[in-house]
Amino acid sequence: MKTFFFYKELCDMCKKCEIACVEACKNGSELTRKAAPFIHIVFGIDGPTHIQCRHCEEPPCVDACIGVSLYKGNYIVGQSEERCIGCLMCNMVCPYGVPQPVYEMEKMAKCCFQCGEIDNPPCVKACDRGALKLSFPQIELKKIRRQRVEKFIRR
Amino acid sequence: MKEKIRYLIIGNCIAGITAASELRRLNPKDEIIILSDEPVPGYCRCLITYYLGNFIQENQLFSHSLDWYKQKDIELQLSTKVVGIDPKNRYVITNKRKKKIAYDKLLIASGARPLFFPGVSPHPDGILGMRTYEDAKRLIALADKGKRALIVGAGFVGLKTAYGLIHRGVKVDIVELLPNLMGRMIDAEASHRITERLTSHPLLDIRFNTSVIETVRINNRFRASLSDGTEMDVDFVVVSVGTRPNIEFLEDTGVKVEWAIVVDEKQMTTVEDIYAAGDNTVITNLLTGKKQNIALWPIAASQARVAAFNMSGRQMSFPGDIPMNSVDFFGLWYTALGEVQAEGDGIVHKIFSNDRFYQKLILKDDKPIGFLSVSNVNHAGIILSLIRERVPWKECKKHPLASLVPILQLD
């Protein structure tokens, strides 16, 4: 199960990922086109941070969806757009603040990988700093741990 | 050891369906049976008011088709009401010629039904609650004939029903016993703002601090006498003053009931191998530590998942949750989390508002316990996680996404 990793110390807020997302979503549905980009780089409390669907293993938004519009697929949290009624329940429970209302369509929108590239999405490809990665948590966390140990030894 | 374990689920709404699909995932070979007292397969109960208002079509209302049950190899018995349980011999008794159905593990997800009160009791010609697909169908038929409706109770269900009826061209009067909308999930200012928006609609009128004393059937209409002395002639009455759990069949089973079914963290009742989830249970309110019935779709789904894991012999626990709700109607978006009416010592209110929107965060002993928001609802989930984890206010302001939530930047 892959998820997104963000290294704030590498990010220089160039927002190429946002542009790539918008470009890739141009062929998506009307809701997707209106709501893109689905990644936002903002300046958080302690540096840059990303607002982006993590496609959780146990997504609270799926449990909360009273219209059974959001669903947990094999790799992603997807959305059957025609079932969405814009009730805001997903917005209410998402700890990452991801699903956002598209007011004129009275629907909620979030990243559903409409770019079609689940393994290497455009947002990750666009990041030439290596700040955004899509990886398996076990592998990525191991890497981070090893880096920390090496840093400690070198010191 | 038996070859196949039989999981029996009473109730076919979100708790029953979530549990069934989780049980199937965890136990590919075992037998799963769902008993439903309704004649239709799985549908989104919360969407019936949208269906009433013609915002969605019938096919959008239904979420799980008969094919879905077949594909998952789940046996669905419709129009089957459970009338009793024998926990000793492990079977339930149904209303169909008292047929007995044996079980190895039982999940009670029978939900709740609308509450009526003396003076306003259900009437086949037009006094009803709003809870099921059949209620919605009846209400649509009534709304096509009648032009005037009375709704008792201005809670979430009452207001959403009113919104649906208005879209069918029915003049709606709402009578509410309390001085505000939505019971405990709102404060005075938000109630005032929302009421103003609602009553600006020509077809809607709300009376606060008023109750219905009785309704009489006169000339094919209903005459309602209100506590403020007025009499109102309406074509039909919708009662939405609360719910009560469907637990009558639990008599003499030893399952402990305190208003609703008492369950432990594993969702097991006081009787072995009988589990419960959904609107018919009381759960721990994480803010007060007290047992409380919080009837909410997401909570029912989480409870059902925990129950399914424990029924399959795995470990998972449900610690409890906080009251919350969110709604969209009349072009308004409203979200309320936790205890929004708290007053007294150690309570601090943080308010962020202008004439277009209104947000309020309630702190108790320097920790957020409640949040409500009218019209500006973005990132409410961030605050929900802060409330659930009881994060001190100073730490809240250090949340990585705090710069996005204006109310977290207040002093």
Side-chain angles (χ1 to χ4, degrees):
Chain A
M1 191 54 245
K2 283 186 174 179
T3 189
F4 286 100
F5 284 86
F6 184 75
Y7 299 93
K8 61 171 185 270
E9 59 281 0
L10 295 177
C11 179
D12 61 355
M13 297 190 82
C14 65
K15 307 220 174 195
K16 281 184 193 137
C17 50
E18 294 187 16
I19 296 166
C21 181
V22 175
E23 282 291 329
C25 287
K26 268 186 180 160
N27 306 321
S29 64
E30 192 194 348
L31 184 69
T32 304
R33 288 200 305 275
K34 281 200 169 137
F38 295 106
I39 176 167
H40 292 275
I41 303 294
V42 296
F43 199 79
I45 287 302
D46 49 359
T49 182
H50 65 150
I51 301 173
Q52 180 178 26
C53 179
R54 313 299 205 267
H55 299 274
C56 308
E57 188 90 45
E58 284 176 16
C61 54
V62 172
D63 274 354
C65 184
I66 62 172
V68 194
S69 162
L70 295 170
Y71 60 88
K72 176 76 191 166
N74 283 338
Y75 299 103
I76 65 163
V77 176
Q79 183 190 23
S80 322
E81 285 172 17
E82 70 286 353
R83 293 197 66 87
C84 179
I85 40 126
C87 65
L88 291 170
M89 294 294 269
C90 50
N91 177 294
M92 181 176 79
V93 297
C94 178
Y96 304 111
V98 170
Q100 290 302 312
V102 176
Y103 288 97
E104 65 261 41
M105 292 181 74
E106 294 194 357
K107 282 181 193 298
M108 307 300 291
K110 64 175 276 305
C111 167
C112 300
F113 276 112
Q114 290 219 1
C115 46
E117 296 171 69
I118 291 180
D119 290 323
N120 194 12
C123 48
V124 174
K125 266 190 258 174
C127 186
D128 46 17
R129 302 263 163 171
L132 187 67
K133 273 183 192 158
L134 182 66
S135 179
F136 291 98
Q138 306 92 305
I139 298 173
E140 199 65 20
L141 290 174
K142 214 180 221 174
K143 248 190 237 168
I144 296 172
R145 246 177 265 137
R146 190 174 302 146
Q147 277 170 6
R148 278 193 194 152
V149 171
E150 280 170 8
K151 215 175 172 183
F152 183 76
I153 294 169
R154 249 182 269 139
R155 204 175 56 168
Chain B
M1 190 72 191
K2 264 165 65 174
E3 244 176 59
K4 272 186 175 181
I5 296 176
R6 180 184 277 183
Y7 297 101
L8 188 64
I9 298 168
I10 304 172
N12 185 35
C13 194
I14 186 61
I17 291 172
T18 308
S21 85
E22 286 290 317
L23 283 171
R24 176 51 76 220
R25 192 166 66 84
L26 299 169
N27 316 282
K29 287 192 182 137
D30 289 336
E31 204 177 344
I32 300 170
I33 304 175
I34 299 182
L35 306 178
S36 169
D37 63 349
E38 293 183 59
V40 289
Y43 63 95
C44 310
R45 196 175 295 284
C46 306
L47 296 197
I48 53 172
T49 57
Y50 294 83
Y51 177 52
L52 169 69
N54 238 339
F55 303 112
I56 60 168
Q57 300 306 311
E58 189 159 332
N59 60 355
Q60 204 179 337
L61 185 65
F62 287 95
S63 51
H64 296 82
S65 62
L66 288 172
D67 284 342
W68 181 85
Y69 295 91
K70 212 175 264 173
Q71 190 200 332
K72 296 250 173 190
D73 193 21
I74 295 164
E75 188 184 334
L76 175 65
Q77 299 194 11
L78 295 172
S79 308
T80 309
K81 202 176 162 69
V82 173
V83 292
I85 298 175
D86 186 339
K88 227 180 201 172
N89 301 312
R90 294 182 181 235
Y91 62 78
V92 303
I93 308 157
T94 67
N95 63 342
K96 283 189 173 166
R97 284 189 245 123
K98 301 265 174 253
K99 196 183 149 202
K100 292 171 186 170
I101 302 175
Y103 67 81
D104 295 307
K105 308 253 180 183
L106 177 68
L107 176 71
I108 303 165
S110 50
R113 61 171 182 277
L115 179 71
F116 292 88
F117 56 93
V120 189
S121 40
H123 193 289
D125 291 332
I127 300 184
L128 69 166
M130 186 63 173
R131 181 85 191 168
T132 62
Y133 172 68
E134 285 176 323
D135 289 339
K137 278 270 179 207
R138 272 180 74 194
L139 213 47
I140 289 171
L142 287 166
D144 285 342
K145 279 185 286 171
K147 283 289 146 247
R148 212 183 142 94
L150 174 68
I151 293 180
V152 188
F156 282 90
V157 177
L159 291 174
K160 282 168 82 176
T161 307
Y163 187 46
L165 286 174
I166 284 169
H167 271 257
R168 290 197 170 260
V170 178
K171 164 99 177 75
V172 179
D173 283 274
I174 301 179
V175 171
E176 170 60 53
L177 184 64
L178 296 171
N180 56 279
L181 305 165
M182 299 183 199
R184 278 180 304 171
M185 296 301 285
I186 204 163
D187 72 344
E189 171 67 21
S191 174
H192 176 71
R193 283 181 184 233
I194 296 175
T195 309
E196 228 166 50
R197 174 70 74 93
L198 301 190
T199 47
S200 67
H201 199 287
L203 288 175
L204 185 65
D205 208 15
I206 304 179
R207 289 161 194 249
F208 291 109
N209 300 313
T210 314
S211 61
V212 179
I213 295 164
E214 65 170 351
T215 49
V216 198
R217 183 97 173 128
I218 295 172
N219 304 334
N220 278 331
R221 297 187 97 191
F222 291 95
R223 175 164 294 171
S225 323
L226 307 185
S227 60
D228 60 1
T230 45
E231 289 192 332
M232 210 181 267
D233 283 330
V234 293
D235 296 306
F236 55 94
V237 183
V238 183
V239 181
S240 61
V241 292
T243 58
R244 59 181 311 172
N246 292 324
I247 46 172
E248 290 66 30
F249 51 84
L250 287 178
E251 259 177 47
D252 309 321
T253 55
V255 174
K256 192 177 170 195
V257 172
E258 280 173 9
W259 194 81
I261 303 171
V262 178
V263 289
D264 60 12
E265 284 205 335
K266 294 177 173 178
Q267 296 304 126
M268 195 162 87
T269 64
T270 46
V271 177
E272 208 187 345
D273 288 339
I274 299 185
Y275 294 75
D279 292 3
N280 55 4
T281 58
V282 282
I283 63 169
T284 311
N285 182 336
L286 291 178
L287 292 171
T288 58
K290 285 184 189 141
K291 288 277 180 185
Q292 185 185 344
N293 173 263
I294 306 178
L296 208 62
W297 178 281
I299 293 177
S302 322
Q303 281 182 295
R305 176 160 303 120
V306 171
F309 266 73
N310 289 305
M311 285 165 84
S312 319
R314 297 176 193 221
Q315 298 289 320
M316 204 176 179
S317 69
F318 180 79
D321 215 324
I322 63 169
M324 56 183 156
N325 219 330
S326 93
V327 72
D328 66 311
F329 50 32
F330 300 92
L332 248 170
W333 308 56
Y334 178 68
T335 297
L337 311 170
E339 308 285 324
V340 295
Q341 287 185 344
E343 294 280 348
D345 286 347
I347 304 278
V348 180
H349 293 169
K350 305 271 179 199
I351 293 170
F352 176 65
S353 77
N354 64 18
D355 50 338
R356 279 185 298 113
F357 64 86
Y358 173 71
Q359 287 192 327
K360 179 164 142 183
L361 187 73
I362 297 99
L363 302 177
K364 187 185 180 189
D365 303 330
D366 219 33
K367 283 175 189 162
I369 58 160
F371 172 72
L372 64 83
S373 172
V374 185
S375 291
N376 183 349
V377 288
N378 286 0
H379 313 298
I382 296 169
I383 295 174
L384 177 66
S385 66
L386 295 176
I387 296 176
R388 267 197 192 137
E389 286 158 26
R390 325 250 15 217
V391 182
W393 173 241
K394 265 189 188 156
E395 299 295 316
C396 288
K397 294 164 80 71
K398 289 183 195 155
H399 187 282
L401 295 177
S403 57
L404 286 178
V405 190
I407 200 156
L408 290 181
Q409 290 158 27
L410 299 181
D411 291 326

